[in-house]
Amino acid sequence: MICDILIIGGDGDLAYRKLYPALFHLDEADCLPACLRIVSVSRTALNAADFRNKVLLMLTEYCGAAPLNAKVQQRFLARLHSYSLDATSEAALSVLSREVFTDKSRDLITYLATPPAIFAPVCQSLWAVGLARENMRLVVEKPLGHDQESFLQINASLMSIFKESQIYRIDHYLGKETVQNLLTLRFANALFEPLWNNNYIDHVQITAAESVGAGGRWSFYDEAGALRDMVQNHLLQLLCLLAMEPPASLSPRSVHDEKLKVLHSLAPIKGRDVTDKTVRGQYTAGNIGSEAVPGYTAEQGATARSNTETFVAIKAHINNWRWAGVPFYLRTGKRLQRRYCEIVVQFKELPHVIFQDQTGRDSANRLVIQLQPEEGIRLHLLNKVPGLDDNFPLESVSLNLSLTDAFTDRHVPDAYERLLYDVMRGNSTLFMRADLVEAAWAWIDDIHEGWSTHKLKAVPYVSGSMGPTDSIALVARDNRQWQD
Ligand code: BG6
C-alpha cells in the first residue's frame, strides 16, 4: 500500500483548494495508511509551522460547514512536510531522495500540480535521483498540451521514464459521483440499455454551464478557450460514457477500449462544416443574478482584443450502428445564467399517437442526468391529470431521484477524493489513457483548424444569458431546443 505522497507544486492553488481537503476527507474515512506522509515541494515553500497553519486554514474553508474532527485534524497535520526546492533540479531533488524517501520499498505517488511546461525536466530529475522507480505512480493534470502534437510531445517525455500503467492522467469530471453513476445507470440496470440507441433516442444534450468568468486566470484561459479547456476533456469524456458499448468489465482496459471506439467514431467537423455545426461566443458585460460583471476583454489581466471563445456549442455525430443519425449537442460556457451541468437524453415521439391533442415533441420522454450543483436523475413521463375529463388531459411529470435526498447520511466525496483514492489502490479506470487524450485532440484540432481557416468569430453574448443566439439557432435548425 502507498506510504508517501509527493506533491510538486504543493504550495499552489490546486493543492490547497482540492488536494489537501480531499486527502483530509480520506483520512477522516480511515482510507489513508497510518504511515502515509504528504510531502509538499515548491520553490516558495513555507516553513513547517506556517505550512501546516495554511493547510489548516484551507481545510476549514474547503472541507464543508461542519467543524473539523480534532483527532483527524491532529493526525492529518502530522503527516504534512514541506520543502522549498526547485523540482526541476537534480541536485535539489537528490536531497529528498537521500533524506526523505530513503526506504525504497515504500510506494510513492508523485502528483505534478505544476504547469505541463516543467513536466519533462521534473520527470528527468525524479529519474536521475532514483525516485522514478517501479513503485512510483505519477499523477498529471490537464492541460495536457494545446493540440495533438504538443500532447504527444508531453506524453513522450513522460513515457520515456514511466510505463503507461504508472501514469494517471486526471480528468476531474470522471471523479464526480454522478459521472460514475452514469456507468451504473446504463450497465447495472436492465431498463435503459434496450432503448439506448437510434431507434428510441432522438438526440442528446450535454451542458456544462458556469457562472464564473475567466477572471484571475485570464492569460492562461485566453490561450486555451472553451473548446480546449472544457470540450476536449470533460465534455468528450461524458459523451464517451453515454455513448460507449457495454464494456466486458470495469477494468481500465475494457472501459478505455470502449471509450476509444467512441472517439474514433466521432464524425470529424472539418473545413466549412464548422460554420453550421459549431458556435463560438464571448461574454460581454452583464449581470449574474444581482451582480454586475465585466465583459471578457475588460476582465482583470485582459488585453484589449481577443477572439477567444468563452462559449462553445457543437453538434456532433457518432458514426456507428447504435448512434447513426442521433445528434449530440454539446455546449459549455462561462458567465452563463447559473452553474449547472446536465445531460438530457431526449427519447423519440411515439410511433402512433392515441392522445391526439396532448402529444408533441415536448411531451416525448426525457431522461435528465444532473451532475451539479445537485446530483440527481429525473425521468420525465406523461401522466393523466386526475379528473373526469373525457379528453384525457395529460401532463409531463418527473420521476425524481435526488442522490442527495436518497443518501442523506452519506458524505458525497469530491472528485479529487475518489481519484486520489483510486491512484492509491492502483485503479486507473477513471483516468485517461494516452490514446484517449490523443484521439480527443485529433477531433478538437479539426474544429480549431476550421475556425482559423474560415475566420469564425466568437460572437458576443451577454453575461447572465445562456450564450449567443446562434447557439439557439444551431439546435432550432433541427426543430429542437435546448432544455434549460
Ligand atoms: C476546469 C477548467 O478543468 O474545470 C475550468 O479548466 C473550469 O475553466 C472547471 O472552471 C470546471 O470544473 P467544475 O468541477 O467546477 O465544473
Side-chain angles (χ1 to χ4, degrees):
M1 185 57 172
I2 295 299
C3 286
D4 292 312
I5 299 184
L6 167 63
I7 304 179
I8 299 185
D11 192 32
D13 198 46
L14 173 72
Y16 286 124
R17 278 193 311 113
K18 293 291 182 187
L19 306 185
Y20 301 125
L23 288 165
F24 180 84
H25 280 306
L26 288 174
D27 205 358
E28 205 170 27
D30 282 328
C31 293
L32 299 187
C35 62
L36 184 137
R37 294 175 297 174
I38 301 167
V39 179
S40 155
V41 159
S42 70
R43 284 175 208 230
T44 54
L46 305 165
N47 67 41
D50 287 349
F51 174 58
R52 286 184 181 144
N53 282 339
K54 183 157 180 195
V55 171
L56 183 57
L57 209 70
M58 296 295 172
L59 294 180
T60 321
E61 189 169 343
Y62 293 110
C63 278
L68 302 179
N69 174 312
K71 202 166 136 216
V72 182
Q73 176 185 316
Q74 195 186 16
R75 183 170 74 204
F76 185 75
L77 293 182
R79 295 178 186 279
L80 298 175
H81 304 268
S82 150
Y83 291 85
S84 175
L85 54 85
D86 173 3
T88 61
S89 141
E90 275 177 45
L93 273 193
S94 68
V95 177
L96 281 190
S97 176
R98 277 196 320 272
E99 294 174 13
V100 184
F101 302 116
T102 45
D103 180 355
K104 308 285 184 238
S105 69
R106 287 164 77 106
D107 287 354
L108 177 63
I109 292 176
T110 299
Y111 199 119
L112 301 188
T114 62
I118 64 165
F119 284 0
V122 171
C123 289
Q124 280 298 335
S125 303
L126 287 168
W127 177 79
V129 304
L131 284 175
R133 45 192 202 235
E134 288 274 308
N135 59 352
M136 179 198 272
R137 288 172 206 150
L138 185 78
V139 188
V140 290
E141 276 277 341
K142 69 180 266 283
L144 293 174
H146 57 270
D147 56 12
Q148 191 190 50
E149 196 186 331
S150 53
F151 165 70
L152 289 174
Q153 267 168 24
I154 294 174
N155 200 49
S157 65
L158 304 181
M159 300 284 289
S160 67
I161 291 167
F162 299 98
K163 290 189 282 211
E164 174 67 32
S165 59
Q166 290 177 281
I167 305 173
Y168 289 72
R169 299 175 195 83
I170 283 202
D171 181 322
H172 78 277
Y173 265 52
L174 294 178
K176 289 183 192 272
E177 200 64 23
T178 324
V179 176
Q180 295 160 63
N181 230 352
L182 255 179
L183 287 170
T184 325
L185 183 78
R186 286 198 57 200
F187 305 127
N189 295 291
L191 196 62
F192 294 112
E193 200 47 33
L195 308 178
W196 214 254
N197 55 54
N198 56 2
N199 291 324
Y200 296 97
I201 293 180
D202 178 73
H203 73 276
V204 175
Q205 301 182 5
I206 305 179
T207 299
E210 297 187 87
S211 53
V212 293
R217 53 208 277 270
W218 199 92
S219 43
F220 157 77
Y221 189 85
D222 200 55
E223 292 282 306
L227 184 66
R228 292 183 173 118
D229 188 45
M230 291 291 288
V231 182
Q232 189 272 342
N233 34 73
H234 309 323
L235 268 69
L236 284 186
Q237 285 304 306
L238 294 181
L239 178 137
C240 284
L241 291 175
L242 273 171
M244 71 187 194
E245 294 301 312
S249 72
L250 272 186
S251 73
R253 183 167 175 189
S254 295
V255 173
H256 294 162
D257 284 354
E258 294 307 336
K259 283 162 86 174
L260 188 63
K261 286 185 208 159
V262 175
L263 291 172
H264 283 161
S265 309
L266 271 174
I269 302 181
K270 284 181 167 207
R272 191 157 287 289
D273 271 359
V274 294
T275 53
D276 49 62
K277 296 208 168 123
T278 72
V279 172
R280 304 179 78 190
Q282 188 183 90
Y283 62 83
T284 58
N287 287 290
I288 306 283
S290 56
E291 189 198 348
V293 293
Y296 179 68
T297 49
E299 290 275 17
Q300 197 191 352
T303 51
R305 285 165 64 101
S306 165
N307 190 36
T308 296
E309 78 287 351
T310 59
F311 175 99
V312 62
I314 299 176
K315 176 180 167 186
H317 276 102
I318 299 171
N319 286 338
N320 63 20
W321 278 38
R322 187 189 281 265
W323 295 115
V326 178
F328 283 70
Y329 299 102
L330 316 178
R331 95 186 139 154
T332 182
K334 297 213 180 275
R335 288 281 192 235
L336 298 181
Q337 210 170 68
R338 63 191 171 93
R339 174 180 183 250
Y340 77 98
C341 180
E342 213 168 71
I343 296 166
V344 177
V345 179
Q346 178 71 52
F347 289 91
K348 288 190 170 169
E349 290 177 68
L350 303 174
H352 173 63
V353 176
I354 59 170
F355 302 98
Q356 293 299 340
D357 294 336
Q358 287 81 7
T359 41
R361 187 166 289 285
D362 276 340
S363 50
N365 298 134
R366 195 157 67 230
L367 179 70
V368 180
I369 303 160
Q370 188 171 352
L371 275 75
Q372 57 194 26
E374 275 89 44
E375 312 199 48
I377 296 166
R378 295 193 305 278
L379 179 61
H380 292 266
L381 301 170
L382 278 183
N383 199 56
K384 179 181 170 300
V385 177
L388 299 175
D389 194 331
D390 279 345
N391 285 331
F392 263 78
L394 303 184
E395 209 172 272
S396 176
V397 289
S398 58
L399 275 179
N400 201 347
L401 169 64
S402 154
L403 298 186
T404 335
D405 292 349
F407 302 102
T408 36
D409 53 342
R410 288 294 185 111
H411 159 68
V412 179
D414 177 69
Y416 280 88
E417 236 172 290
R418 159 99 254 161
L419 296 173
L420 282 168
Y421 190 44
D422 282 357
V423 181
M424 286 184 214
R425 293 178 304 160
N427 181 349
S428 61
T429 301
L430 297 177
F431 292 80
M432 309 270 295
R433 202 170 60 190
D435 49 4
L436 292 169
V437 187
E438 184 182 344
W441 272 126
W443 194 71
I444 295 292
D445 286 354
D446 280 341
I447 298 179
H448 255 290
E449 202 179 305
W451 282 355
S452 78
T453 313
H454 294 282
K455 302 197 171 25
L456 206 78
K457 286 253 172 312
V459 290
Y461 63 95
V462 179
S463 290
S465 66
M466 275 311 287
T469 47
D470 291 17
S471 151
I472 299 170
L474 174 83
V475 180
R477 279 200 291 277
D478 299 337
N479 288 324
R480 299 185 175 107
Q481 60 184 31
W482 292 107
Q483 301 293 334
D484 286 331

